[in-house]
Amino acid sequence: MTGTKFGLAGRRAWIWAIAFTGGALLIAWAEQAGVIAPPWNWLAIFVVALTIIPLARATSNRQRACGSLSPAMQRYNNRTLAWALAYVAGVAIAVIARDRLEPEGPLLWAIAILPALPILYMIWTMGRYLVEETDEYQKMRQVQAALAGLGVLLAVATFVGFLQTFANIPATAAWWAVPVWAIGMGLYQLFRALTERAEVER
Amino acid sequence: MKNRLKVLRAERDWSQQALADLLEVSRQSVNAIETGKYDPSLPLAFRIADLFALPIEEIFIRN
């Protein structure tokens, strides 16, 4: 394995990851702050959604380059692409329906939980990967990343929770839990990738 | 735990990928075991020992 092969593929994946995460956080902030109006919020969601496809491809390429793309990981990547696209589509449909239909009652509830459904599939995807992965080292790495994400989520939730209780900062929507967990997981994987770059086979 | 995996692999002129294919694990796993970052489970250690036709204690060395 040469550094060139590893480096190029790796860097490309992280550029897309940063683009997707940054875009998603920006849209979430703009929505909450009310500084983005239709149709620009729909367009922004669509543009951010498109970055998921190159992100998924670059991630698979990087895993293939560093010898960690097992069949189970390939299925996990495919399922992740499916739930990520479904999640963005769910958010987009919920936002458009809220803006256009001004729903009430059961319809409002149905629209509100629409983006949450792909997250259930995401949780199943994580569990399924751990069942299907036969490579014990890869499995351990995924569990470590998930635990790191959980640690970040618990720390942020506790920190924000006490600020809300004692400093009266504005309430935060509970759906932030998954993005914060995923960011924590991503940061851990980035940290591992950077620390292991020098250790690839020469 | 130290091991002689890299030496044994070099003696057979196998790449990490070739060894990984024989063991049905990822190349990253072989790299992690060779560099001592990861100690394999007992079943995987037995598979490695079987592949090299050596007892486990001649491949993995107690610290």
Side-chain angles (χ1 to χ4, degrees):
Chain A
M1 175 67 55
T2 66
T4 307
K5 275 184 193 171
F6 185 89
L8 277 175
R11 271 195 289 274
R12 207 178 300 136
W14 291 111
I15 288 168
W16 289 115
I18 289 166
F20 173 75
T21 307
L25 291 175
L26 197 62
I27 292 171
W29 171 81
E31 270 284 320
Q32 283 201 326
V35 296
I36 189 167
W40 301 111
N41 54 353
W42 311 341
L43 186 67
I45 291 170
F46 179 72
V47 170
V48 170
L50 288 182
T51 65
I52 293 172
I53 296 167
L55 169 61
R57 290 187 63 181
T59 301
S60 289
N61 288 341
R62 181 186 167 278
Q63 289 168 335
R64 191 176 293 111
C66 63
S68 63
L69 187 67
S70 65
M73 182 58 80
Q74 183 64 67
R75 284 193 292 276
Y76 172 79
N77 289 347
N78 294 341
R79 289 167 182 156
T80 297
L81 178 61
W83 75 251
L85 288 172
Y87 178 66
V88 176
V91 171
I93 291 167
V95 169
I96 291 169
R98 180 202 61 192
D99 293 344
R100 294 212 144 186
L101 305 176
E102 295 182 359
E104 291 179 358
L107 179 62
L108 177 62
W109 279 67
I111 289 169
I113 63 167
L114 193 62
L117 299 179
I119 298 303
L120 299 180
Y121 181 61
M122 180 209 82
I123 295 165
W124 177 84
T125 295
M126 289 284 298
R128 197 65 211 153
Y129 170 75
L130 296 179
V131 170
E132 291 177 354
E133 182 59 85
T134 55
D135 188 313
E136 60 188 46
Y137 178 66
Q138 298 297 332
K139 193 185 291 194
M140 182 199 72
R141 299 251 323 210
Q142 196 72 3
V143 169
Q144 285 178 339
L147 285 175
L150 180 63
V152 169
L153 171 60
L154 293 175
V156 170
T158 304
F159 199 74
V160 171
F162 277 113
L163 282 174
Q164 286 172 344
T165 300
F166 293 107
N168 296 321
I169 67 164
T172 308
W175 56 257
W176 275 102
V178 170
V180 169
W181 173 77
I183 289 168
M185 198 169 160
L187 287 174
Y188 174 82
Q189 286 168 330
L190 175 63
F191 170 75
R192 288 295 299 255
L194 290 174
T195 54
E196 288 171 0
R197 283 184 78 159
E199 297 169 8
V200 293
E201 185 183 16
R202 289 176 174 84
Chain B
M1 186 180 288
K2 292 177 184 173
N3 66 76
R4 297 177 54 232
L5 205 56
K6 190 169 185 175
V7 174
L8 294 168
R9 179 171 66 78
E11 284 172 0
R12 287 154 181 82
D13 200 23
W14 289 344
S15 66
Q16 283 189 342
Q17 186 60 60
L19 178 57
D21 291 343
L22 290 167
L23 292 170
E24 297 181 337
V25 298
S26 64
R27 192 197 58 75
Q28 205 175 31
S29 300
V30 170
N31 185 271
I33 296 168
E34 276 189 2
T35 53
K37 285 186 300 179
Y38 177 69
D39 292 331
S41 67
L42 209 47
L44 180 54
F46 272 115
R47 271 178 19 226
I48 293 168
D50 288 346
L51 184 67
F52 289 106
L54 289 169
I56 285 181
E57 58 270 28
E58 286 190 25
I59 301 173
F60 297 95
I61 301 138
R62 234 180 286 175
N63 284 334

